[in-house]
Amino acid sequence: MTEKLQFRRVTGEHVEAEARVDDEELYTAKFLMARRVWLEETELRQHRVSDGSQRSTGYDRLDNEILAGRQLYEVAEWGGYPPEVVRLYGDEATSADPYALFYPYRGRRLSTVGTHFLAEERDAFEVSLLTGLCWLAAAGISHCALSPDTVLWDGEKRQVQIADFSQSMVFGAPREAIPGPSSWIAREQRPGSVGGTVSARDDIWAAGRLIFFVRNHGEELADRGRLAESGLDELLAGVFGPPTGRPTARELLVDRMGHRDPVPRGADRRPWLEEGRRHFWAARQHKHPGAAIPPEAVEVAEGSDRITHTAWVHTDRAAGTEASERVQVPPQAEVTARKASQDKGFRWRRGAG
Amino acid sequence: MSNIDQILYRAPNGGNGIIQQAATSLRDHVEGNHWLRRLEPWLRTGNPLGRGYLAFGRQAALIRWHSDVTSRFDWQLALVLVGQPTVLTSTYALELPELSAYLQTLPRSNRLLQATRTELGPAHSGVNARARSKEAIDLLVPLLARVLAGERSVVMPWTEPSLPEAVMWGVVSILSMLGDPRPVSFLTYASTRAPNTPGLFVAFRPGAARLPPDPGFEMVATELASRFARDPAELRRTLLQFGMLQPTDHAGRITRLLRLWPHIQTVNAYPGETQTVNATFNSPSSMAGAASSRQEQGGATGHGVTCPICLHEIDNWDAQQYWRWDATLEAYVELPVPPGFNQNQRDRLVRGSYVRCPAPHSDMQSEHYLPVNYGRFGPPVLLGFIGLTKSGKSHLLASMVGEVQAGGLLQDYGIASRPVDPALHQRFMEGWVNPLIKHGRVLPGTQEGIVTFADAFLMSYDNGPEQVVALFDVAGGDLARVDESKQFLEIADGLFFVIDPEPWNGSGKRPGDETFDNVLNVVQEKNRQNRVSAAIVLNKADKVRFDEPVARWLRTDGSALDPAEFLLESQDVYAYLHHKKALVLAGPYRLCDKATLHVASPTGGAGDGEGSVYPRGVTPRRVLRPLVAMLAMTGVLTAPKAEKVGI
């Protein structure tokens, strides 16, 4: 069966294409349905809103998936997309029957394979899971529903893939109650005790339990005393406390495990907004000389020199080296410089400012 | 010019049939049509038992009717004299004879000659004498008492021919002696309700109730009427010597009278000896209830209000006559307040009533009415929605009102609110809010040519005084034209500049909005940059809901009155417009001293066109934030942190 699809690629261009469709339903999030589609030879997953009385919830869930996909794309840029999170291909978000297109998921749910990890696989799992969370944090997204059913394991590549962003939220949003078993939902997200705003410290609670789950062959953490027995008491110290005192994924990965931060510095910034923001503060200064500037905006408002040029790191992918070269590129020259470098086989990642 | 034009109208089937101009001295055909349109309501109301004198500002008209004695219709001919009110005065109008004899002198053609004013009218001595008769004084006292009490439209019982003319002669004579400059109009026989005119309007109607006047004002009126009956010239001299003709307002004139006749006390009187005038003279007795109820709430009394529709300065709101909407007649009808009513009775009576703007009107169509609460709580705060057609102004306004109605302002910000005009609010709820919020339907665009507020609320913050906040929705097509149909812009306190991102987002189209330009020109020309606040709303933000920073703000619907949060949102929306090369739309931020920028989604998703249902349902997001920012910038919210919003 074929269908004509009109959608927006995650890269921004609009696509109209004939797609081959497989009507077999795939496992996916509640209030959504999924099926395989093929655009020429490219296989994709199409997520749509389920019919029924909860359809309005389905719209929101699909929006969450699209937003997370787009945000992750923006921070990861072309060619540098992290395999630890599912990847959006495109979306049609304006019609009454919207959908999202994802690259096929990789791996199997932890609920299925989490009981059979080898020791070296467990280490890889922990690093990969925290790496994925670091990218989520850079995108300003909290998954909010990490569990053995939403995290996949690709045993061949020894990589995690975090899937199902249907309940994800942006940092700063008021927390909403997440339905589900309390073993995977932190107290601040459980119905009846929900409160506060979403932050980069929210997902680590469920991630810590996943780490325990894999280390202990599928055992759910019921007693924190078991952490020491599993050798996790230091790594996961503070993870199960109140959200404000929890470590971030980056702190676990970099500070406690000694790995490199997978996310280049400055990737969480939106450089295309920086110039406009400076214009704003200049306009305000003109109207109200000496008016106080909120701490969150001081850097932008006063650090114009640092913002004028964005530093980029391009890594020689062919050589497989980690060595990088930093170049200063003014915002208006970003696209040209990036394309020229990619033509030479370099991989670009936004770096320190 | 002392000439007076004449127009003869014919109504072969009486006042209920077609009225045609039969002859005139006017040379301008258009002017003739104009007078017919203008006079038609009064032509149909009167008959040969009376006459009508209508003071329209720079022109006045006298109408006299004639009926053939054999006719079964109320009248067939009406002769109208029109001229400057300084020439065609109300007293002269009363001194002219009945029409029957005069009609015999008119030429039998469609061309009439102008009439020339004589010093005194032929009936001068007759009307002068009868005005001082006992039966005239008996009717004059209650009428004068109500006029002194501040009523602008008075209906008196008609009992016999020519008596009302005599009574009116006495009224206008005494008001002239008092130096009262108000134009006086009257209809000495009204078969039905008559439309009002600027200034004072008195109608005599068979069967009308003889309402008891306020005892205090009745005392003043009795004193004036009895002295007038004894010796008008002496009364004139007395009043003149006492400085009654020196400029003052209505309250000042009453105060002078009380000083002149101190046996009429203003306070602590007891029956039988002296009489209390039940008024403060800043607000006559019939309005005292309304005034005092606001005083209790900390407002000022007797202040002026600018009409938001025509910009007329209404000097003393509380002294205006009340009106109510009669659904049967589909018209506003006068709502007299019985002078004997106590405060509670008055409050209850005038609840939901209206005040007619007293500006001189060129025709009935330009008459406009404002809710009685509009001017009772200090200067209202006027907020307007600016933006192109289809920018979503109406949806934004409806969503805002829906959230206000649902208690969002109180729940999240502690701002209490109630409708200024329950009927208006109900109409807006039924016509706009419910179809959108309850039924998820796409609303039609704002109708062009309608210039009044869509809804208005009395809002108070932190147990402070209530203040009127009026919300104006003007059609984009109206705003795109430079004309006089949106005068409220000249006195607006805050403007929501509403942006639809779709036309320019990713389309390569050059962004721009002539409605912004037109309105900002008004702001700039009037040098009001520091008096009008701006809230630029990136509306229909659901269309760009995946774009940073829109996505983040749209999903973090804060409920704090935090100036820093407003500032950071403004920074981000400004930067977004810059990134989209649409910074021209941020012009209001640069021009207005106090300004904010916002993202808002009145519906949460797109619809397919007017009347269709939003497939996702309607889930407004961040629609209260621009309103809260505006309330802070315009001073409705008075907390220290509110003062920092928009800076």
Side-chain angles (χ1 to χ4, degrees), chain B residues 28 59 80 87 123 170 205 223 231 355 405 438 452 480 496 620 635:
Chain B
D28 186 345
Q59 287 179 302
V80 175
V87 178
R205 204 159 62 202
E223 189 76 34
D231 187 345
V355 164
Q405 174 74 14
K438 282 190 178 172
T452 186
F496 296 98

Side-chain angles (χ1 to χ4, degrees), chain B residues 61-75:
Chain B
L62 166 66
I63 311 174
R64 286 170 293 169
W65 291 263
H66 171 76
S67 175
D68 192 318
V69 290
T70 61
S71 172
R72 58 193 175 92
F73 297 112
D74 49 356
W75 64 273

Side-chain angles (χ1 to χ4, degrees), chain A residues 166-238:
Chain A
S166 66
Q167 297 185 82
S168 63
M169 300 184 76
V170 296
F171 292 168
R175 289 192 186 97
E176 291 175 7
I178 306 292
S182 60
S183 48
W184 301 107
I185 311 285
R187 177 180 295 276
E188 71 275 8
Q189 292 178 319
R190 290 177 199 157
S193 57
V194 68
T197 55
V198 175
S199 77
R201 302 174 194 278
D202 279 25
D203 279 339
I204 200 67
W205 188 92
R209 296 182 74 90
L210 282 174
I211 288 171
F212 179 89
F213 177 84
V214 169
R215 282 253 184 137
N216 292 279
H217 307 289
E219 177 188 340
E220 291 186 5
L221 177 63
D223 173 9
R224 288 192 200 175
R226 295 276 291 124
L227 291 174
E229 295 169 22
S230 308
L232 289 172
D233 50 339
E234 285 188 22
L235 177 66
L236 299 183

Side-chain angles (χ1 to χ4, degrees), chain A residues 4-60:
Chain A
K4 183 180 269 187
L5 299 182
Q6 290 178 302
F7 59 93
R8 176 194 181 277
R9 274 294 307 270
V10 72
T11 47
E13 66 266 27
H14 289 270
V15 176
E16 187 173 331
E18 201 77 27
R20 191 156 49 89
V21 176
D22 180 356
D23 269 341
E24 182 191 349
E25 286 291 322
L26 303 176
Y27 179 84
T28 191
K30 202 173 177 187
F31 306 120
L32 299 177
M33 48 190 188
R35 63 182 180 176
R36 288 188 190 86
V37 299
W38 286 266
L39 292 174
E40 295 183 340
E41 296 308 312
T42 304
E43 181 186 337
L44 300 169
R45 286 171 63 96
Q46 186 187 41
H47 290 192
R48 294 175 297 157
V49 180
S50 298
D51 290 329
S53 59
Q54 299 290 314
R55 191 165 165 82
S56 62
T57 307
Y59 282 116
D60 292 338

Side-chain angles (χ1 to χ4, degrees), chain A residues 63-64 71 93 277 287, chain B residues 545 548 555 572 589 593 616:
Chain A
D63 268 7
N64 292 340
Q71 301 278 51
R277 285 174 172 150
K287 289 198 301 180
Chain B
R545 63 188 181 278
E548 272 297 334
R555 288 163 175 258
D572 278 357
Y589 179 81
D593 275 9
R616 304 172 65 115

Side-chain angles (χ1 to χ4, degrees), chain B residues 289-290 293 322 324 335 337-338 341-353 372 376:
Chain B
S293 68
Y322 297 121
R324 66 175 175 82
L335 179 64
V337 179
F341 265 31
N342 63 31
Q343 182 176 310
N344 289 335
Q345 290 171 312
R346 285 169 180 149
D347 281 350
R348 193 173 62 180
L349 181 72
V350 304
R351 192 173 299 142
S353 67
V372 67
R376 292 173 61 188

